[in-house]
């Protein structure tokens, strides 16, 4: 039996990757961004393991929604796992468990059709969120042979995050097929502004050009049927539900913001593109200095008294031929801020709130007649 030994006269092969400086590797890791991919990079080498925590650009995709019944059956023997679930893991159970009753009361007020939204929230109220597979050994829960981690625990492995994006697996609000509902909210220690774009249905006008909807045949006024056929009531549900979803997301970001003082930007969105919560560096610092006011009814940030402006078009035809039926844009600001904001800044803010083609829809709607509303704190 013979053995093969390396030739001592032959030089060892050069690993050209080792010749790259740390700064170049960090550029690569920042381009990767995804927290699970970065977790896999950690196990490649000791050098990678030491560099990954220095990444500045991190994306966390929360890709697992597990019912509380499943969670309890998989973790009944481990109190530690249940204690370390973290705020994001309990998003639907803690937040929507506290707001289902108010929305049920609202649904009863607005009529039986609105109960569809309440049923959707009820179905979400017994679910928890996890990242799987995650990074690190803390805050994990084993479910069906797969280890799950809360985003709060996963992010504690990073020391220098500047840009953080968290993506939920879906929007919190259940809406009927064909209905358009999108919102964007900016927060500091409380709501700075929120814009909501909705439509009862989206029609591809290019398929049936004979429809000829147009945009200017209604004199820019809201038709009487809008008030009598439930159109206004539906917009009230959209507005309140979007504000509750935004304030719930904001409330649950507290521990992450406290842990990562290097943050310049924080975005919390969802895979459906339903809602986006944004915080810049000044807003993040404001929350650290001035703690948020929590709602006494549920685990969410208190929504202050609001001034709202609404634009409506029965049919809004976009340049690409898509038609929004019952298109509605709602711009929301705290009452104490509204007096200092002018029309020009509002128009710029609204037009940049959504990606195309919905940014164009917002630009078209703000040219129409404006309707003003007010809402008390809740």
């Amino acid at each position: 039996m013979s053995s093969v030994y390396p030739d001592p006269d032959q030089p060892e092969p050069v690993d050209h990757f080792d010749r790259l400086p740390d700064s170049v590797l960090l550029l690569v890791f920042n381009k990767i961004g995804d927290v699970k991919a970065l977790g896999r990079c950690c196990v490649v080498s000791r050098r990678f393991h030491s560099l990954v925590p220095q990444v500045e650009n991190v994306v966390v995709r929360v890709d697992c929604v597990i019912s509380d019944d499943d969670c309890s059956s998989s973790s009944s023997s481990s109190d530690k796992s249940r204690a370390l679930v973290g705020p994001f893991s309990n998003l639907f159970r803690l937040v929507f468990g506290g707001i289902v009753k108010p929305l049920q009361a609202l649904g009863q007020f607005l009529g039986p059709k609105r109960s569809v939204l309440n049923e959707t929230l009820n179905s979400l109220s017994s679910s928890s969120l996890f990242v799987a597979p995650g990074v690190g050994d803390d805050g994990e829960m084993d479910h069906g042979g797969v280890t799950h981690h809360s985003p709060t625990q996963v992010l504690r492995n990073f020391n220098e995050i500047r840009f953080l994006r968290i993506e939920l697996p879906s929007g919190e609000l259940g809406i009927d097929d064909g209905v358009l509902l999108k919102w964007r909210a900016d927060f500091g220690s409380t709501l700075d502004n929120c814009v909501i774009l909705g439509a009862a249905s989206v029609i591809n006008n290019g398929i049936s050009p004979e429809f000829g909807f147009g945009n200017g045949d209604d004199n820019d006024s809201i038709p009487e049927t809008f008030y009598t056929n439930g159109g206004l009531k539906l917009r009230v549900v959209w507005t309140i539900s979007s504000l509750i979803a935004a304030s719930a997301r904001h409330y649950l970001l507290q521990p992450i913001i406290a842990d990562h003082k290097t943050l310049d930007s924080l975005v919390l969105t969802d895979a459906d593109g339903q809602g986006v919560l944004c915080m810049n560096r000044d807003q993040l610092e404001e929350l650290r200095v001035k703690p948020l006011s929590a709602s006494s009814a549920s685990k969410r940030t208190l929504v202050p008294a609001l001034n709202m402006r609404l634009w409506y078009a029965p049919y809004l035809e976009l340049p690409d031929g898509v038609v929004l039926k019952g298109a509605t844009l709602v711009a929301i600001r705290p009452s104490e801020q509204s007096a200092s904001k002018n029309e020009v800044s509002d128009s710029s803010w609204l037009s940049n709130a959504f990606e195309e083609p919905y940014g164009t829809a917002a630009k078209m709607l703000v040219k129409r007649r404006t309707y003003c509303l007010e809402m008390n704190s809740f």
Side-chain angles (χ1 to χ4, degrees):
M1 181 176 180
S2 61
S3 300
V4 178
Y5 298 95
D7 187 345
D9 297 328
Q10 291 290 333
E12 293 186 6
V14 177
D15 187 344
H16 294 286
F17 220 92
D18 286 341
R19 301 175 64 180
L20 293 175
D22 289 352
S23 59
V24 173
L25 289 181
L26 283 172
L27 285 174
V28 175
F29 291 151
N30 277 300
K31 290 292 184 181
I32 293 174
D34 181 73
V35 71
K36 289 181 287 185
L38 291 173
R40 298 185 185 103
C41 291
C42 278
V43 301
V44 172
S45 68
R46 291 180 179 177
R47 186 185 182 199
F48 281 19
H49 189 274
S50 66
L51 288 176
V52 165
Q54 302 175 42
V55 169
E56 297 180 342
N57 184 28
V58 177
V59 179
V60 179
R61 293 182 175 87
V62 180
D63 53 8
C64 188
V65 181
I66 303 173
S67 71
D68 280 348
D69 290 338
D70 292 339
C71 288
S72 59
S73 64
S74 64
S75 61
S76 58
S77 61
S78 174
D79 292 337
K80 179 181 178 181
S81 294
R82 295 175 63 85
L84 291 175
V85 163
F88 264 97
S89 325
N90 294 299
L91 176 64
F92 293 115
R93 177 166 59 87
L94 292 179
V95 176
F96 286 97
I99 66 173
V100 166
K101 290 182 179 180
L103 282 179
Q104 285 175 336
L106 179 65
Q108 293 171 1
F109 169 74
L110 296 177
K113 188 175 181 180
R114 303 285 74 78
S115 64
V116 174
L117 177 59
N118 296 325
E119 291 174 4
T120 303
L121 291 174
N122 273 319
S123 68
L124 294 174
S125 63
S126 60
S127 300
S128 299
L129 299 180
F130 297 92
V131 181
V135 202
D137 300 322
D138 295 327
E140 63 183 37
M141 178 177 289
D142 188 89
H143 181 83
V146 179
T147 300
H148 304 280
H149 305 261
S150 74
T152 304
Q153 292 293 332
V154 169
L155 290 170
R156 286 177 181 168
N157 293 277
F158 297 88
N159 305 321
E160 301 181 23
I161 302 177
R162 293 182 59 202
F163 307 100
L164 174 60
R165 178 183 177 90
I166 301 175
E167 183 177 292
L168 302 178
S170 62
E172 299 93 328
L173 306 178
I175 55 176
D176 296 334
D177 291 340
V179 173
L180 172 70
L181 179 59
K182 292 181 175 293
W183 59 264
R184 175 190 165 117
D186 284 62
F187 277 81
S189 60
T190 186
L191 178 70
D192 279 350
N193 59 68
C194 180
V195 56
I196 301 167
L197 177 66
S201 62
V202 180
I203 304 170
N204 188 342
N205 197 24
I207 297 177
S208 303
E210 67 273 10
F211 286 172
F213 286 119
N215 296 313
D217 56 353
D218 54 7
N219 298 319
D220 280 359
S221 60
I222 294 180
E224 187 66 28
T225 54
F226 180 77
Y227 304 99
T228 59
N229 67 1
L232 177 60
K233 297 176 181 180
L234 178 60
R235 272 68 182 179
V236 171
V237 170
W238 287 351
T239 300
I240 295 178
S241 302
S242 298
L243 287 169
I244 288 175
S247 61
R249 292 187 186 187
H250 179 251
Y251 182 89
L252 295 172
L253 289 172
Q254 291 178 91
I256 292 176
I257 295 171
D259 286 346
H260 300 278
K261 294 183 171 56
T262 57
L263 277 172
D264 287 336
S265 172
L266 174 55
V267 175
L268 177 51
T269 184
D270 57 79
D272 294 338
Q274 186 180 93
V276 181
L277 182 149
C278 300
M279 299 181 72
N280 60 32
R281 185 173 184 83
D282 291 339
Q283 292 166 330
L284 291 162
E285 187 59 30
E286 178 186 320
L287 179 59
R288 296 188 187 102
V289 175
K290 181 182 177 183
L292 60 81
S293 297
S295 169
S296 59
S298 59
K299 300 289 186 179
R300 61 176 180 82
T301 302
L302 183 70
V303 177
L306 304 170
N307 283 348
M308 301 185 294
R309 293 185 297 143
L310 181 146
W311 297 268
Y312 176 81
Y315 297 97
L316 188 71
E317 185 172 359
L318 304 181
D320 62 358
V322 172
V323 173
L324 304 183
K325 184 178 179 180
T328 308
L329 183 71
V330 183
I332 303 169
R333 277 202 173 102
S335 300
E336 61 182 19
Q337 294 183 11
S338 298
S340 63
K341 303 295 182 179
N342 57 45
E343 195 75 22
V344 175
S345 63
D346 273 352
S347 300
S348 174
W349 157 56
L350 294 170
S351 62
N352 296 325
F354 305 106
E355 296 181 353
E356 294 300 334
Y358 303 114
T360 297
K363 292 177 184 178
M364 296 171 68
L365 282 167
V366 296
K367 297 177 181 179
R368 302 175 67 88
R369 182 175 298 179
T370 303
Y371 296 83
C372 299
L373 306 90
E374 295 182 352
M375 181 177 293
N376 293 331
S377 176
F378 64 93

